[in-house]
């Protein structure tokens, strides 16, 4: 283990947050088992009070997780020179097999927490707790991921030894090596760019249709999920090339650095924001039939759809800015 | 009409100190009238007021506010209804120390989205009804008993509720202030408010203001009907 | 949307007013909180700035340095070694260097003597760093005296003062001619302090270092990247260590915060009871507690960071520089180049605000779920 301040910070905070989430999951399970809205018994009243605690904890978790996601990458980046062969975060993350899983789990738990809060908000609009079971089932699903993230992050940090020889984005994301990363990189750039625009355009169109007609929510949710994967792939395989203006540098992390005007932060925030809100909006449209939600749900869906579409538009605008204005060409 | 059917409220259920404050109470309260809950302390008046006023939920039984059943609404909705429908006056005034009279009066309206200037204007108007406008910027701990009481009443009216609930309002007042309080209640009744009072003070329950008196003992209703 | 904002504004107004009403309690919390952030931020800023200074120094350092050792101790290296190393494939140049330290007993300071490769002063003249200039009150044209290895004094006239772009590097520096240095230190004409190499291909550093050790068993090649990593590890390790020790204090703070948050005074409990009775909902009170926590954390965070910034970059970290620097207080005052990045801010945030917030969640929730009819009972 390296006694780096940021590592200690990530370690301590994720431990604390994980404990809080587990604590709230225990109550989540109690709610799943003993919930009885018709009863006015003290235990039911106590459970209803617990719902406030749980949503508070998850809200804080979401906020902290966003910062922790970027701090994790930032830290990986700033300690890379301790490892032979590492030149950026990619190198640090490949020092042992737990780096990428940690990052992936951080993203997954972040997305899940965002989605949970949307469900939670929708639930609070109905006077009879219409989504209470769905919501706490999701919490129970989410908890193991959060626990896994803390544990795997711990193992990853404990396994960091400065004498390890690692490889870096040059070799990991270069067409010569094999693995999922190279599959992404090997995606032919120009068709990938076309796919990115097609997916973004499709998502925006579907969102507009959903806004206008109130239908097609399921498709919108699906398209947003697809868009998340497509956009991530496109960022690595082609958009990064325009940002770096180098024909073979495919790094998803270097765009977070000052040299590239921190453009990675708006890019990733827009990408995740679009995914969470878009998926949430589409998913919520399933509940339009619930009587207690009939009045307020459509408004919430519309607001989420608008936010999601705005995020997608920002992402497309940034990408297009680089593709059109940098004068770099892939030909 | 507010109607309560078979209301029971039990505290510490299943524990050795289990205690039923209200048991199987059925009650109907008419709008635009003054209803008095009468009975010794510990008879369950306050608990029943809390349940009728959407402050707490009964352990069993059902409550209707007009046509709408409000028994098992989550706290969020119950609070919303309470804020819009009921104004509360407490035994000990329960003003927040350190805040001015004006701030105290505006407190119940903070969770609403009313714009601040209009809220402030309404609060000052309400204070003027009770001759308190010159005290608006005074801290509440400097008020006399009568002024504190009138501030508490002004606060209960800030969200323009249709029902006023007062729990033992005269318990800490001398005779003169108690009569003054009843005079204010008379004025509010004249404005069409529904008033529910709990008291064991004859000034309150023997007042000609009372349209109906409900007598309670040990958590049950012993008698109810128009004032004898 | 505007409605929600208006509601938040009301609650925020109320929160700030109630924070100000309890100046004593919140003031002490704020003071402790600020102190913790101040210390943490100072440690981080300081070690990082030192690391940067060190990197700056090492940027100038040659890729490979060869020293000679005798039973593990450093020895001057014969110039003949340079010719043998030059024959190794891949080595472009080999340069002997002459440098050392000089302890000035009158001013209790250590100077670094270096014979520069380019533009050396002519014999009898020296260039000095700004630190030496300051403590000796010596300026260009002045004569300055040092005691040589044989105990005899030698006088030099000052040619110029070195620019102090990075004081940590040049403050204690004396540039001297080769002849003067040999006379001053007593090193013989066929020896040098060490050798520096330039190598064509960075990938060959290790191979060449190995070849040198095989060729000249009493030599010790030092590769630059190796030094960089060692420095970095040492500085990170030091600040990490300080933080570990410090977390004991932070823990005390968390307990303190917990105590403050759980030990709601009867007055506060009554106040929340009143709010709930007059129509505030649990989430409104939670909202208020959120604003309360944010206001305290934000104030402490900004205050602590600004104080730490001033402490490290303007006040020379007078509070704990001796501990962290780990060498004697050579420079009465030196300025580090101000530098703060996202990583620092986020790390301090996670080490202070997150633990504080986590400890206050449950007590706030407890306070917020007081029964609305509690004040009536």
């Amino acid at each position: 283990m390296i006694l780096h301040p940021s590592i200690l910070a990530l370690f301590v905070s994720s431990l604390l947050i994980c404990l809080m989430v587990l604590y709230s999951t225990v109550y989540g399970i109690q709610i799943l088992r003993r919930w009885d809205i018709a009863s006015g018994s003290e235990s039911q009243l106590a459970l209803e009070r617990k719902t406030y605690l749980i949503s508070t904890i998850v809200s804080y978790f979401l906020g902290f997780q966003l910062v922790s996601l970027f701090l994790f990458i930032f830290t990986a980046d700033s300690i890379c020179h301790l490892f032979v062969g590492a030149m950026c975060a990619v190198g640090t993350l490949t020092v042992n097999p737990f780096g990428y899983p940690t990052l992936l789990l951080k993203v997954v738990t972040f997305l899940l927490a965002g989605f949970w809060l949307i469900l939670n908000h929708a639930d609070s609009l109905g006077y009879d707790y219409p989504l209470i079971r769905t919501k706490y089932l999701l919490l129970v699903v989410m908890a193991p991921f959060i626990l896994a993230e803390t544990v795997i992050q711990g193992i990853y940090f404990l396994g960091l030894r400065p004498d390890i020889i690692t490889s870096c984005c040059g070799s990991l994301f270069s067409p010569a090596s094999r693995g999922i990363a190279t599959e992404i990189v090997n995606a032919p750039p120009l068709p990938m760019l076309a796919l990115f625009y097609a997916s973004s355009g499709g998502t925006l169109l579907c969102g507009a249709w959903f806004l206008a007609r109130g239908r097609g929510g399921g498709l919108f949710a699906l398209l947003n999920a697809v868009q998340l994967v497509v956009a991530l792939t496109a960022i690595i395989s082609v958009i990064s090339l325009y940002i770096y203006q180098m024909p073979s540098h495919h790094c998803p992390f270097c765009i977070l650095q000052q040299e590239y005007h921190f453009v990675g932060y708006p890019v990733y925030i827009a990408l995740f924001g679009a995914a969470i809100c878009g998926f949430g909006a589409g998913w919520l449209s399933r509940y339009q039939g619930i009587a207690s939600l009939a009045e307020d749900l459509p408004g919430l869906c519309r607001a989420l759809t608008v936010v999601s579409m705005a995020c997608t538009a920002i992402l497309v605008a940034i990408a297009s800015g680089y593709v059109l204005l940098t004068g770099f060409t892939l030909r | 009409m507010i109607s309560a059917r078979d209301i029971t409220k039990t505290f510490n259920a299943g524990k050795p100190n289990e205690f039923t404050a209200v048991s199987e109470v059925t009650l109907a309260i008419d709008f635009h009238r003054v209803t008095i809950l009468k009975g010794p302390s510990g008879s369950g008046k306050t608990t029943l007021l809390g349940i009728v006023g959407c402050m707490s939920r009964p352990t069993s039984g059902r409550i209707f506010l007009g046509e709408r059943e409000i028994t098992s609404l989550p706290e969020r909705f119950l609070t919303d209804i309470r804020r819009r429908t009921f104004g509360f006056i407490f035994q000990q005034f329960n003003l927040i120390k350190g805040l001015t009279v004006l701030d105290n009066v505006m407190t119940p309206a903070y969770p609403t989205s009313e714009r601040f200037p209009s809220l402030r204007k309404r609060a000052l108007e309400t204070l003027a009804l009770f001759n308190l406008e010159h005290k608006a910027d005074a801290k509440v701990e400097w008020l006399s008993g009568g002024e504190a009481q009138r501030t508490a009443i002004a606060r209960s009216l800030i969200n323009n509720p249709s029902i006023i609930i007062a729990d033992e309002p005269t318990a800490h007042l001398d005779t003169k202030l108690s009569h003054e309080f009843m005079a204010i209640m008379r004025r509010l009744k004249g404005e069409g408010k529904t008033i529910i009072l709990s008291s064991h003070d004859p000034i309150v329950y023997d007042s000609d203001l009372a349209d109906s008196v409900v007598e309670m003992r040990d958590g049950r209703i012993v008698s109810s009907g128009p004032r004898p | 949307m505007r409605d929600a904002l208006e509601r938040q504004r009301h609650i925020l107004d109320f929160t700030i007013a109630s924070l100000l009403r309890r100046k004593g309690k919140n003031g002490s919390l704020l003071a402790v909180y600020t102190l913790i952030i101040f210390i943490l931020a100072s440690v981080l800023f300081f070690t990082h700035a030192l690391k940067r200074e060190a990197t700056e120094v090492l940027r100038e350092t040659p890729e490979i340095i060869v020293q000679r050792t005798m039973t593990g101790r450093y020895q001057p290296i014969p110039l003949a070694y340079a010719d043998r190393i030059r024959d190794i494939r891949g080595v472009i140049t080999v340069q002997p260097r002459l440098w050392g330290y000089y302890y000035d007993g009158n001013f209790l300071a250590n100077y670094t003597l270096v014979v520069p490769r380019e533009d050396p002063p002519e014999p009898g003249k020296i260039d000095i760093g700004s630190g030496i200039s300051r403590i000796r009150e010596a300026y260009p044209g002045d004569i300055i005296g040092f005691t040589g290895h044989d105990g005899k004094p030698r006088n030099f006239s000052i040619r110029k003062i070195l620019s102090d772009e990075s004081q940590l590097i040049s403050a204690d520096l004396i540039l001297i001619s080769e002849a003067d240095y040999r006379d001053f230190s007593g090193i013989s004409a066929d020896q040098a302090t060490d050798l520096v190499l330039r190598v064509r291909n960075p990938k060959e550093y290790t191979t060449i270092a190995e070849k040198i050790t095989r060729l000249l068993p009493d030599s010790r090649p030092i590769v630059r990247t190796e030094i960089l990593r060692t420095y970095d590890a040492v500085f990170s390790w030091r600040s990490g260590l300080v933080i570990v020790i410090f977390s004991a204090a932070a823990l005390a703070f968390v307990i303190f915060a917990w105590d403050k948050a759980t030990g709601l005074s009867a007055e506060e409990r009554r106040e929340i009871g009143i709010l709930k009775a007059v129509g505030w909902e649990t989430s409104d009170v939670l909202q208020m507690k959120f604003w309360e926590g944010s206001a305290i954390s934000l104030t402490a965070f900004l205050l602590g960071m600004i104080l730490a910034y001033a402490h490290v970059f303007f006040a020379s970290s007078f509070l704990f520089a001796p501990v962290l620097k780990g060498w004697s207080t050579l420079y009465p005052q030196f300025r580090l180049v101000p530098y703060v990045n996202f990583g620092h801010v986020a790390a301090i945030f996670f080490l202070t605000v997150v633990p504080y917030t986590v400890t206050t969640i449950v007590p706030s929730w407890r306070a917020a779920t007081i029964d609305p009819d509690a004040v009536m009972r």
Side-chain angles (χ1 to χ4, degrees):
Chain A
M1 171 137 177
I2 295 169
L3 274 180
H4 192 276
S6 304
I7 290 181
L8 284 172
L10 284 168
F11 198 69
V12 169
S13 60
S14 86
L15 204 66
L16 281 174
I17 294 169
C18 175
L19 283 176
M20 289 305 285
V21 171
L22 289 183
Y23 172 79
S24 64
T25 309
V26 171
Y27 292 117
I29 292 171
Q30 275 183 16
I31 288 172
L32 282 176
R33 288 177 50 205
R34 303 217 307 260
W35 188 259
D36 176 13
I37 182 75
S39 158
S41 69
E42 281 175 334
S43 69
Q44 169 66 16
L45 292 180
L47 286 183
E48 284 180 33
R49 261 178 233 144
K50 289 281 196 272
T51 60
Y52 286 99
L53 177 61
I54 297 172
S55 51
T56 308
I57 290 176
V58 179
S59 313
Y60 279 118
F61 173 78
L62 182 79
F64 292 154
Q65 195 70 349
L66 180 64
V67 186
S68 127
L69 189 62
F70 288 122
L71 180 62
F72 184 72
I73 296 171
F74 189 91
T75 308
D77 213 43
S78 65
I79 60 171
C80 65
H81 54 273
L82 294 177
F83 308 99
V84 179
M87 278 170 311
C88 75
V90 172
T92 314
L93 290 177
T94 41
V95 165
N96 66 40
F98 300 102
Y100 274 104
T102 306
L103 184 62
L104 187 67
L105 281 167
K106 273 187 191 294
V107 174
V108 168
T109 51
F110 175 73
L111 294 173
L112 281 176
F115 180 55
W116 192 90
L117 286 173
I118 288 176
L119 267 188
N120 180 53
H121 186 71
D123 183 51
S124 72
L125 295 175
Y127 54 79
D128 55 356
Y129 292 97
L131 306 179
I132 191 111
R133 287 196 67 80
T134 322
K135 195 168 88 174
Y136 286 101
L137 276 173
L138 179 62
L139 179 68
V140 172
V141 170
M142 198 161 82
F145 282 101
I146 293 170
L147 180 63
E149 185 222 306
T150 304
V151 172
I152 291 181
Q153 178 180 280
I155 298 175
Y156 169 67
F157 285 149
L158 288 173
L160 283 184
R161 288 184 215 297
D163 49 351
I164 289 174
I165 295 177
T166 178
S167 54
C168 201
C169 45
S171 53
L172 184 69
F173 290 102
S174 75
S177 60
R178 295 241 61 86
I180 181 133
T182 37
E183 292 304 320
I184 292 173
V185 168
N186 277 336
L190 289 175
M192 198 58 228
L193 197 61
L195 185 60
F196 169 71
Y197 279 111
S199 165
S200 306
T203 311
L204 287 174
L205 274 179
C206 180
W209 168 260
F210 182 50
L211 273 183
R213 298 291 164 87
R215 274 177 294 141
L219 183 65
F220 187 55
L222 182 71
L223 283 179
N224 267 292
V226 172
Q227 162 76 358
L228 177 66
V229 178
V230 169
L232 266 180
T233 315
I235 287 171
I236 297 173
S237 81
V238 53
I239 296 170
S240 62
L241 301 183
Y242 284 98
I243 297 176
Y244 303 130
Q245 306 201 25
M246 275 186 257
S248 62
H249 192 49
H250 296 275
C251 180
F253 307 121
C254 296
I255 56 172
L256 293 167
Q257 288 177 4
Q258 194 178 6
E259 291 96 300
Y260 305 104
H261 312 293
F262 303 111
V263 68
Y265 291 93
V267 163
Y268 287 121
I269 289 174
L271 179 61
F272 292 146
I276 291 176
C277 294
F279 190 77
W283 184 273
L284 286 183
S285 67
R286 295 169 35 140
Y287 303 121
Q288 272 164 353
I290 296 177
S292 61
L293 290 177
E295 197 182 325
D296 293 328
L297 193 66
L300 175 63
C301 279
R302 263 196 301 281
L304 287 172
T305 309
V306 169
V307 173
S308 168
M309 287 170 67
C311 286
T312 307
I314 290 171
L315 180 65
V316 171
I318 295 176
S320 306
Y322 277 98
V323 170
L324 298 175
L325 301 179
T326 50
F328 172 78
T329 170
L330 282 172
R331 266 170 254 271
Chain B
M1 189 163 73
I2 304 174
S3 53
R5 295 182 201 158
D6 292 327
I7 297 297
T8 298
K9 179 77 178 179
T10 307
F11 293 102
N12 306 323
K15 296 196 187 114
N17 58 347
E18 180 176 311
F19 149 70
T20 303
V22 173
S23 67
E24 292 162 16
V25 166
T26 298
L27 178 73
I29 294 169
D30 289 324
F31 287 146
H32 315 301
R33 306 241 179 262
V34 176
T35 305
I36 312 249
L37 299 182
K38 170 184 164 186
S41 53
S43 59
K45 300 186 305 274
T46 301
T47 310
L48 186 59
L49 271 187
I51 292 173
V52 168
C54 295
M55 273 206 179
S56 56
R57 276 163 53 181
T59 310
S60 66
R62 304 168 77 179
I63 302 271
F64 292 84
L65 178 65
E67 296 296 302
R68 189 171 183 196
E69 181 174 358
I70 55 172
T71 320
S72 57
L73 281 184
E75 195 202 310
R76 249 188 318 282
F77 293 85
L78 216 52
T79 309
D80 197 45
I81 290 172
R82 176 153 56 91
R83 201 158 47 212
R84 279 186 280 132
T85 318
F86 298 95
F88 288 86
I89 302 163
F90 307 99
Q91 204 178 64
Q92 284 144 329
F93 310 139
N94 281 332
L95 297 173
I96 297 175
K97 282 202 199 100
L99 290 186
T100 62
V101 168
L102 184 67
D103 284 334
N104 260 289
V105 170
M106 293 193 299
T107 308
Y110 281 153
T112 66
S113 45
E114 185 174 355
R115 303 285 175 267
F116 190 79
S118 93
L119 172 59
R120 191 182 145 86
K121 188 161 156 283
R122 273 196 320 110
L124 286 170
E125 284 165 7
T126 313
L127 281 174
L129 291 179
F130 297 98
N131 299 322
L132 282 169
E133 64 273 39
H134 62 286
K135 291 278 183 186
D137 294 322
K139 294 246 160 53
V140 288
E141 50 270 43
W142 304 336
L143 296 180
S144 70
E147 287 166 340
Q149 180 200 309
R150 282 179 282 144
T151 305
I153 300 173
R155 181 177 67 183
S156 74
L157 294 173
I158 190 69
N159 285 332
N160 198 19
S162 56
I163 305 170
I164 306 287
I165 291 186
D167 180 35
E168 301 276 8
T170 58
H172 294 282
L173 300 180
D174 60 24
T175 313
K176 179 170 163 283
L177 284 176
S178 299
H179 283 297
E180 192 182 304
F181 175 81
M182 290 312 285
I184 293 172
M185 288 301 116
R186 190 180 302 278
R187 201 167 93 201
L188 294 175
K189 187 194 174 190
E191 290 167 12
K193 305 268 187 214
T194 306
I195 296 173
I196 309 171
L197 306 173
S198 82
S199 184
H200 56 267
D201 179 357
I203 294 181
V204 176
Y205 61 75
D206 282 344
S207 156
D208 62 342
L209 192 64
D211 294 303
S212 93
V213 175
V214 177
E215 189 171 354
M216 291 191 72
R217 190 167 282 273
D218 300 330
R220 291 171 192 276
I221 292 179
V222 233
S223 74
S224 77
R227 187 174 54 91
Chain C
M1 191 65 195
R2 256 199 85 186
D3 286 356
L5 284 181
E6 193 67 25
R7 201 180 128 245
Q8 293 297 335
R9 216 196 97 186
H10 287 154
I11 295 177
L12 182 59
D13 280 350
F14 184 86
T15 311
I16 306 270
S18 73
L19 279 176
L20 292 177
R21 260 184 299 140
R22 281 183 270 276
K23 284 200 191 74
K25 177 190 156 170
N26 294 313
S28 60
L29 174 65
L30 194 65
V32 177
Y33 203 162
T34 307
L35 181 70
I36 302 248
I37 290 172
F38 165 74
I39 298 177
L40 253 181
S42 295
V43 172
L44 283 190
F45 291 169
F46 186 69
T47 49
H48 196 87
L50 279 190
K51 210 151 69 177
R52 270 173 63 96
E53 295 276 348
T55 317
E56 204 90 323
V57 179
L58 288 168
R59 206 193 311 279
E60 306 294 311
T61 308
E63 289 122 10
I64 300 179
I65 299 171
V66 182
Q67 293 178 341
R68 181 170 157 236
T69 59
M70 182 183 281
T71 57
R73 305 298 299 175
Y74 163 80
Q75 291 289 315
I77 193 161
L79 289 177
Y81 279 29
D83 303 325
R84 299 186 60 186
I85 291 171
R86 207 171 282 123
D87 292 340
I88 297 174
R89 268 171 62 109
V91 176
I92 305 173
T93 58
V94 180
Q95 292 275 352
R97 286 198 309 185
L98 286 168
W99 61 277
Y101 299 118
Y102 172 77
Y103 179 69
D104 187 342
N106 295 329
F107 293 89
L108 306 176
N110 251 318
Y111 308 144
T112 307
L113 293 163
V114 174
V115 177
R117 228 173 303 165
E118 281 153 28
D119 186 27
E122 49 271 42
K125 293 204 169 167
I126 53 172
D127 298 345
I128 60 173
S130 54
I132 305 173
S133 162
R134 193 175 54 244
I135 62 168
R136 298 278 302 235
E137 290 175 1
Y139 302 97
D142 292 357
I143 304 287
I144 195 168
F146 297 117
T147 315
H149 70 283
D150 47 8
K152 290 186 189 125
R154 286 168 178 78
N155 286 331
F156 302 99
S157 82
I158 298 169
R159 183 174 70 159
K160 65 177 185 212
I161 311 290
L162 298 166
S163 74
D164 48 1
E165 213 166 79
S166 175
Q167 289 203 14
L168 199 52
I169 306 170
S170 63
D172 72 328
L173 207 58
I174 296 176
L175 299 184
I176 190 169
S177 68
E178 182 175 345
D180 282 342
Y181 182 80
R182 289 196 188 279
D183 169 56
F184 187 75
S185 65
I187 189 168
S188 68
D190 59 348
Q191 285 184 323
T193 312
D194 52 23
L195 303 174
V196 298
L197 276 61
R198 275 182 56 219
V199 173
R200 189 172 293 118
N201 186 348
K203 284 183 181 157
E204 287 180 31
Y205 288 166
T206 344
T207 335
I208 288 175
E210 275 166 19
K211 279 185 188 163
I212 294 171
T213 336
R214 228 174 304 136
L215 195 67
L216 305 160
D218 64 345
S219 69
R220 181 172 67 181
I222 302 165
V223 180
R224 180 175 62 181
T225 48
E226 208 65 43
I227 311 176
L228 261 174
R229 278 161 54 191
T230 313
Y231 261 104
D232 205 72
V234 165
F235 282 126
S236 287
W237 182 80
R238 262 181 204 263
S239 62
L241 199 68
V242 171
I243 286 170
V244 168
I245 296 164
F246 185 68
S247 35
L251 190 71
F253 163 68
V254 164
I255 294 166
F256 178 77
W258 175 271
D259 183 57
K260 284 275 169 193
T262 44
L264 278 185
S265 63
E267 185 60 36
E268 256 176 294
R269 197 170 281 281
R270 209 179 82 93
E271 202 174 300
I272 292 174
I274 295 173
L275 291 177
K276 295 214 56 182
V278 300
W280 285 45
E281 203 246 319
T282 302
S283 50
D284 298 326
V285 181
L286 281 172
Q287 205 70 250
M288 175 176 98
K289 286 282 168 188
F290 165 77
W291 286 122
E292 195 178 294
S294 306
I296 290 182
S297 294
L298 195 70
T299 314
F301 199 71
L302 287 179
L303 223 57
M305 292 291 248
I306 291 169
L307 287 176
Y309 192 91
H311 170 224
V312 172
F313 298 117
F314 302 135
S316 313
S317 324
F318 64 94
L319 286 180
F320 50 69
V323 188
L324 281 173
K325 268 193 299 190
W327 60 73
S328 69
T329 46
L330 183 55
Y331 321 107
Q333 48 163 273
F334 73 98
R335 289 279 162 82
L336 291 164
V337 184
Y339 177 76
V340 177
N341 66 22
F342 163 76
H344 294 141
V345 179
I348 295 164
F349 177 82
F350 274 109
L351 285 169
T352 53
V353 176
V354 171
Y356 172 76
T357 310
V358 168
T359 49
T360 53
I361 289 177
V362 173
S364 308
W365 167 78
R366 266 214 186 107
T369 48
I370 293 175
D371 282 325
D373 59 349
V375 289
M376 287 166 69
R377 286 185 204 141

